[in-house]
Amino acid sequence: QVQLVESGGGLVQAGDSLRLSCAASGGTFSNYALGWFRQAPGREREFVGVVNWHGTSTWYEDSLEGRFTISRDNAKSTAYLQMNNLKPEDTAVYYCAADVQYITYEYDYWGQGTQVTVSS
């Protein structure tokens, strides 16, 4: 059983950068691909991106590639979501999720989420 805890959210201004962290415990971190998702009020959860087991491959939602970067440090059992040039429409609760498959529509483990609010 893998437990995931996100951190690093907060209130920022448009144009700012923010780095979210996803700390894992309870499993072998390198056995899991790590995905990031977000959900804005009144909207469905949407895929942000994913990093593979060793951090050698990433895949992003097309509209976010270039501003958002996912990485991981397996020695620290932590994944990161670097968000640059934030926009008000990036306001959402951000979740990390883990699965043994790199490309999947269903993830086995989810964190509780961290709120990101971008003011204009």
Side-chain angles (χ1 to χ4, degrees), residues 9-13 16 18 115-119:
L11 173 63
V12 298
Q13 293 186 333
D16 285 351
L18 201 60
Q115 176 71 47
V116 172
T117 303
V118 184
S119 64

Side-chain angles (χ1 to χ4, degrees), residues 17-68:
S17 296
L18 201 60
R19 189 178 79 160
L20 306 183
S21 298
C22 173
S25 61
T28 301
F29 188 64
S30 59
N31 285 349
Y32 298 90
L34 264 290
W36 285 94
F37 295 78
R38 66 183 185 181
Q39 187 166 20
R43 300 187 65 175
E44 292 187 356
R45 186 174 61 200
E46 67 172 337
F47 173 77
V48 172
V50 59
V51 60
N52 73 347
W53 311 271
H54 302 295
T56 54
S57 179
T58 52
W59 178 45
Y60 299 94
E61 160 61 35
D62 287 346
S63 64
L64 300 177
E65 190 163 12
R67 289 198 300 125
F68 288 18

Side-chain angles (χ1 to χ4, degrees), residues 57-89:
S57 179
T58 52
W59 178 45
Y60 299 94
E61 160 61 35
D62 287 346
S63 64
L64 300 177
E65 190 163 12
R67 289 198 300 125
F68 288 18
T69 303
I70 298 173
S71 61
R72 65 190 295 162
D73 184 340
N74 285 350
K76 297 181 178 179
S77 296
T78 302
Y80 304 97
L81 175 63
Q82 176 69 41
M83 304 183 291
N84 297 328
N85 189 23
L86 283 162
K87 304 175 181 181
E89 53 263 42

